[in-house]
Amino acid sequence: DQQVKQNSPSLSVQEGRISILNCDYTNSMFDYFLWYKKYPAEGPTFLISISSIKDKNEDGRFTVFLNKSAKHLSLHIVPSQPGDSAVYFCAASVAGGTSYGKLTFGQGTILTVHP
Amino acid sequence: EAGVAQSPRYKIIEKRQSVAFWCNPISGHATLYWYQQILGQGPKLLIQFQNNGVVDDSQLPKDRFSAERLKGVDSTLKIQPAKLEDSAVYLCASSSLLNTEAFFGQGTRLTVV
């Protein structure tokens, strides 16, 4: 039972354009959502997060949108840069205390940004 | 601030052998997690520690996997005996009550042949 799904295994974008990565979840108990970025041979690194009380969170070139009714979130990267090329994981948790790191991950989307 | 340290980085063993992985979390982080990432999939939580106590080990295959965090700092994850399907990257992560995200180590890539 895949509770967090990233249906696009890969995405290819031109430098300077917008990258949009999508994620769907099924568990209504999830109330905190994160995006992690992973380069080859490295561990995932935290990128941006959003609480279920918000529908948008922005950090520089990265914006995460949350649609609770659709159980859908997306990550927008504008403008995309070649250094953004990596695997992006969507993750979800139940907020609070020791639970923030207890994550359910999607399968990941490989983003390639072409110069 | 030093990150999460894991060793070894790579390990190749034959099936039915045993193997152990070591993790040193970020200083002061009370919560430690072990995740298993099989190729092409997202990481899956195996076990969560709070200090030296187990909070959640519901997804740990306890017939062959074991983990401990005796002094509430370093942790070891052991597999005995290993199976081919245990080939994966084993990631350690830690967090504190001040964080709303977990910090991951570089992982140990295990290949069982």
Side-chain angles (χ1 to χ4, degrees), chain A residues 32 34 36 38 41-46 49 89 97-108, chain B residues 9-10 31 33 35 37 40-43 45 48 50 56 91 95 97 99-102 104-106:
Chain A
Y32 196 73
L34 308 90
Y36 277 83
K38 186 181 182 305
E42 294 185 13
T45 55
F46 170 73
S49 62
F89 289 101
T98 61
S99 297
Y100 280 111
K102 188 175 172 181
L103 302 168
T104 301
F105 281 88
Q107 310 95 305
Chain B
R9 288 296 311 277
Y10 306 93
T31 311
Y33 313 83
Y35 283 83
Q37 185 182 7
Q41 300 180 18
L45 180 69
Q48 176 187 357
Q50 179 68 17
D56 184 354
L91 295 160
S95 67
L97 291 178
N99 303 126
T100 53
E101 73 273 8
F104 285 82
Q106 290 182 299

